[in-house]
Amino acid sequence: MASVLCNYVPELLCKFPQIDQTVMREARKLIDDNFKAFVRAYGYILDAAVQPLQWFLNWLQALFVATPWFIIILVMTLIVYVASRNTKIAVGTALSMLAIGFVGLWEDTMVTLAMVTVCTLISIVVGIPIGILMARSERVQSVINPILDVMQTMPSFVYLIPVVMIFGIGKVPGLIAVVMYAVPPMIRLTNLGIRLVDREVLEAADAFGSSPSQKLFNVQIPLALPTVMAGINQTIMMSLAMVVVASMIGVGGLGKNVLQAISNQFLTIGFLNGFALVVIAIIFDRTSQAYGKRLQRHTEVVHG
């Protein structure tokens, strides 16, 4: 049908106009060559800058793997119960972790847990200050919002390309890729939480003579905590999703097993490792949601 139609309309309307291939080839070559030159010139500085992340990740991973399983389960159950104040979630956490151990995935789960913990901590440290800046400045928000839009719509595999070119294959490159993928919800929801603080509360703080920093730390951030917790929840979920992709560049853990199961068509291995990832996701999700609801109720009582 299209070929018949093209017989009756000008060729220009049937053939989409494109940039000349020579121009595109030269542009790609220019960008790639300059990026590679930048990596060769400053790669050692970037490697030195991220070396503390390597040390911290290795230490935490060794701690999780070397600690006896019953201590890990006990500590996790206590943390979940203190955060959620929900006996069912705490008991479910203990039983789920026992099930992971029974199927032989305990060590890989600890490696993944260490990775997600570090990624979440970095996302919090990076995301909350940027979210605060966005909430305090319309200009900053207008600049950062399009960047976050691109980051959240970019296919996850694309994050691996610049990271591998700069840092090579290993845990830290994978960690950086996971953080890049998972940090946007932290930034957005921190910004949203601070902006949703009631104006009357802010006016009352101004009436009492609060400085901008006092108003931020004593009023806005405490009231925004439930929304910030939702951002942490989303960051954890996205970190777990990205861990499987990052296993392509040497992250290890459950993601590596899933990737091997896909390559070799091992249904049982893939299912069991996927089950372990789902268990971790549910534990984090239920705990952070319950803690967020507790914060929200506390906020409503204090300021209601």
Side-chain angles (χ1 to χ4, degrees), residues 5-267:
L5 183 62
C6 285
N7 293 329
Y8 298 97
V9 296
E11 182 180 355
L12 182 61
L13 297 179
C14 292
K15 188 175 182 180
F16 194 86
Q18 297 180 357
I19 299 174
D20 183 79
Q21 287 299 313
T22 303
V23 175
M24 286 297 299
R25 187 164 52 250
E26 291 298 322
R28 290 196 299 267
K29 186 175 183 299
L30 178 65
I31 294 171
D32 291 344
D33 288 348
N34 281 312
F35 188 77
K36 290 176 183 177
F38 171 81
V39 172
R40 285 194 296 269
Y42 300 103
Y44 70 97
I45 298 176
L46 297 173
D47 286 337
V50 301
Q51 189 62 45
L53 291 179
Q54 179 78 62
W55 294 334
F56 180 58
L57 179 60
N58 288 341
W59 173 81
L60 191 64
Q61 181 177 308
L63 177 66
F64 284 0
V65 171
T67 303
W69 62 268
F70 55 89
I71 296 178
I72 293 287
I73 293 178
L74 179 62
V75 171
M76 283 189 65
T77 304
L78 287 174
I79 292 173
V80 168
Y81 179 75
V82 170
S84 65
R85 298 297 170 85
N86 189 311
T87 305
K88 291 182 180 179
I89 297 177
V91 172
T93 297
L95 294 176
S96 299
M97 295 305 293
L98 284 171
I100 288 174
F102 285 142
V103 298
L105 294 175
W106 182 261
E107 185 171 333
D108 290 326
T109 300
M110 292 301 101
V111 172
T112 299
L113 196 61
M115 172 66 69
V116 172
T117 301
V118 175
C119 290
T120 303
L121 291 175
I122 295 173
S123 297
I124 291 171
V125 171
V126 172
I128 288 180
I130 296 176
I132 291 171
L133 285 175
M134 290 177 66
R136 295 169 72 89
S137 171
E138 293 293 339
R139 180 174 296 180
V140 172
Q141 179 172 251
S142 65
V143 172
I144 295 179
N145 259 337
I147 298 174
L148 295 178
D149 291 338
V150 172
M151 291 177 69
Q152 289 189 288
T153 53
M154 187 77 70
S156 55
F157 289 92
V158 177
Y159 287 104
L160 303 181
I161 300 171
V163 170
V164 170
M165 289 180 68
I166 296 173
F167 300 105
I169 303 295
K171 295 178 184 176
V172 170
L175 184 146
I176 294 171
V178 172
V179 170
M180 290 170 60
Y181 182 76
V183 77
M186 189 74 257
I187 299 173
R188 285 191 187 277
L189 288 168
T190 300
N191 174 35
L192 177 64
I194 293 176
R195 287 179 178 272
L196 288 178
V197 173
D198 195 337
R199 289 186 177 275
E200 293 181 358
V201 178
L202 298 179
E203 290 171 1
D206 290 332
F208 280 103
S210 298
S211 66
S213 60
Q214 289 175 329
K215 189 165 61 175
L216 174 65
F217 291 106
N218 297 332
V219 179
Q220 290 175 299
I221 290 180
L223 291 176
L225 273 179
T227 309
V228 173
M229 282 304 304
I232 294 174
N233 175 283
Q234 291 301 307
T235 294
I236 293 170
M237 297 301 105
M238 295 184 72
S239 296
L240 284 166
M242 187 63 181
V243 159
V244 177
V245 178
S247 65
M248 297 176 65
I249 59 173
V251 167
L254 297 171
K256 178 192 69 176
N257 296 341
V258 172
L259 187 64
Q260 290 177 347
I262 294 172
S263 302
N264 298 292
Q265 299 181 6
F266 293 152
L267 175 62

Side-chain angles (χ1 to χ4, degrees), residues 268-294:
T268 305
I269 293 176
F271 177 81
L272 289 176
N273 283 271
F275 162 77
L277 284 168
V278 168
V279 165
I280 296 175
I282 290 174
I283 291 171
F284 278 121
D285 180 65
R286 297 295 185 270
T287 305
S288 58
Q289 281 192 13
Y291 184 64
K293 289 178 181 177
R294 284 182 55 218

